[in-house]
Amino acid sequence: MNTMKAVGVTHYLPIDQADSLLDVEIPKPTASGHDLLVQVQAISVNPVDTKIRAPKDQVEENPRILGWDVAGIVVEVGNQVTHFQVGDEVFYAGSVTRAGGNSEYHLVDERIVGHKPKSLDFAAATALPLTAITAWEAIHERLGISEDAVSNAGHTILIINAAGGVGSIATQLAHLAGLTVIGTASRPETSDWAKAHGADHVINHHDAFVPQLKKIGFSDVDYILCLNHTDQHWQHMADAIAPQGKICSIVETEQPIDLEALKNKSATFVWEFMFTRSMYETDDMSEQGVILNRIASQIDEGKLRTTETKRLRPINATQLREAHRLLEAGDMIGKLVLEDFES
């Protein structure tokens, strides 16, 4: 049986323990149906990886493979594949209902795959899929914001945690859409990063929003995209949202939120979870491939840029433990990527 290298989880342990992530050999899959078999060139790490790997009383009989950002080369296609061929360079986020991409080869449904930006190498490209799809769906689909900059003139969006992985893309997309972008950050370096990626103003998410908004000339905002601690920021968001405004969050709550706080304003609250389409195989699942190709075009046209800030090599358990450690520390700016399996 053909095998491949991978990094897996068998016991859910703190990241400082050597057995939290392991170098393993697992069977190499083959493509069928809508699947592509991709030779993995680079991967990226996201909060979903650390959340799934977090300590719990559970043991995996077979190693669980994490990783939901991949850039690589198609080496095999299933018999129902129509949009890709062997040799294509691709990037994608995959599905949490299937094995992740921290392996030499990876199976993925073609409908959620995009052609890699031509202007980026694999490592820079792999920083994009999960965060770009999340940001795009949140802004253009969940919040219903048009891409037409003229129609959005005079409208405002508040992006909480603007310097994080999703925030770094969301600020760029919101700026492209013609919105006045107000980001939140709490350190000089994160504030500078947010401004460099499209934020017109930056306020501190540790303080009440409305007084800070008033200081920069706004009584409220039309849209809010919450990328950090939904329950902790809830009342400040409810205070800051404009009547008939819209709030979208990607972060699960630890405490119940009071939706009645939005009632008098007839404000909307909506969730964004980028794995919804692949998890439920929705009729519009292929929209994620469309989004990724749109992102790739905007990258190649110089309208968007990758948010990679740190690169590690090679791809192995030691380097992935370091990547998880850095992410769990909570002060990452942009995205961390890894490239090249050891031969």
Side-chain angles (χ1 to χ4, degrees):
M1 179 184 291
N2 288 335
T3 62
M4 62 179 179
K5 294 178 180 178
V7 178
V9 174
T10 56
H11 295 72
Y12 295 85
L13 303 168
I15 200 59
D16 59 359
Q17 295 193 25
D19 291 344
S20 57
L21 290 168
L22 299 169
D23 291 309
V24 296
E25 290 272 344
I26 60 174
K28 178 183 174 182
T30 58
S32 62
H34 286 288
D35 280 349
L36 311 174
L37 181 63
V38 175
Q39 184 179 26
V40 176
Q41 304 295 310
I43 59 175
S44 185
V45 179
N46 294 285
V48 63
D49 298 73
T50 61
K51 289 175 183 176
I52 290 176
R53 198 222 75 250
K56 52 181 164 284
D57 186 18
Q58 182 177 332
V59 177
E60 301 291 345
E61 183 176 345
N62 297 308
R64 182 174 186 179
I65 310 303
L66 309 180
W68 290 279
D69 262 332
V70 174
I73 303 167
V74 177
V75 295
E76 188 177 303
V77 299
N79 59 0
Q80 296 180 52
V81 169
T82 58
H83 298 297
F84 296 91
Q85 58 188 6
V86 171
D88 284 349
E89 296 182 351
V90 297
F91 73 145
Y92 57 89
S95 168
V96 286
T97 62
R98 304 181 68 175
N102 295 347
S103 54
E104 286 185 285
Y105 296 88
H106 184 236
L107 281 181
V108 63
D109 190 305
E110 69 161 335
R111 290 170 289 184
I112 56 174
V113 176
H115 292 275
K116 180 183 76 66
K118 294 180 175 64
S119 58
L120 299 182
D121 67 8
F122 288 104
T126 201
L128 290 165
L130 186 147
T131 54
I133 293 171
T134 302
W136 184 285
E137 289 183 346
I139 289 173
H140 296 306
E141 297 182 0
R142 310 302 176 221
L143 292 174
I145 298 168
S146 167
E147 290 184 69
D148 178 21
V150 175
S151 66
N152 292 324
H155 291 274
T156 51
I157 186 170
L158 175 65
I159 299 176
I160 300 169
N161 194 24
V166 177
S168 300
I169 297 291
T171 50
Q172 295 183 69
L173 290 176
H175 178 77
L176 274 178
L179 295 167
T180 297
V181 183
I182 304 163
T184 80
S186 60
R187 293 177 284 146
E189 57 268 35
T190 52
S191 178
D192 291 344
W193 175 272
K195 289 177 180 176
H197 286 75
D200 298 291
H201 309 276
V202 176
I203 64 175
N204 193 317
H205 44 242
H206 294 307
D207 300 323
F209 297 160
V210 170
Q212 296 182 84
L213 289 172
K214 287 181 176 178
K215 284 183 180 179
I216 56 175
F218 303 95
S219 58
D220 52 30
V221 290
D222 300 300
Y223 305 99
I224 297 176
L225 176 55
C226 181
L227 309 174
N228 175 267
H229 295 303
T230 302
D231 44 358
Q232 291 183 30
H233 298 302
W234 181 252
Q235 190 57 54
H236 294 321
M237 289 193 287
D239 293 340
I241 194 66
Q244 303 182 88
K246 296 181 180 180
I247 300 172
C248 176
S249 179
I250 71 168
V251 186
E252 62 272 22
T253 62
E254 296 179 7
Q255 301 292 330
I257 56 175
D258 177 20
L259 284 175
E260 287 196 12
L262 305 181
K263 181 179 181 296
N264 286 349
K265 292 183 176 179
S266 297
T268 298
F269 175 71
V270 62
W271 290 110
E272 158 59 19
F273 183 53
M274 70 133 291
F275 292 114
T276 296
R277 281 173 158 143
S278 58
M279 179 179 287
Y280 295 98
E281 295 192 3
T282 60
D283 291 341
D284 65 350
M285 182 173 164
S286 61
E287 276 301 303
Q288 292 199 334
V290 173
I291 291 168
L292 285 172
N293 286 329
R294 181 84 173 106
I295 293 292
S297 295
Q298 291 181 327
I299 290 284
D300 290 338
E301 292 165 7
K303 295 178 180 178
L304 293 177
R305 52 179 163 143
T306 181
T307 56
E308 174 203 355
T309 53
K310 189 172 182 62
R311 187 178 298 201
L312 301 175
R313 69 167 62 86
I315 302 171
N316 59 26
T318 298
Q319 295 287 40
L320 265 169
R321 283 195 298 272
E322 173 64 5
H324 279 231
R325 185 192 67 79
L326 289 168
L327 202 61
E328 288 182 348
D331 55 7
M332 271 294 299
I333 300 173
K335 289 293 295 292
L336 188 157
V337 305
L338 299 91
E339 62 179 351
D340 301 333
F341 276 92
E342 293 176 308
S343 58

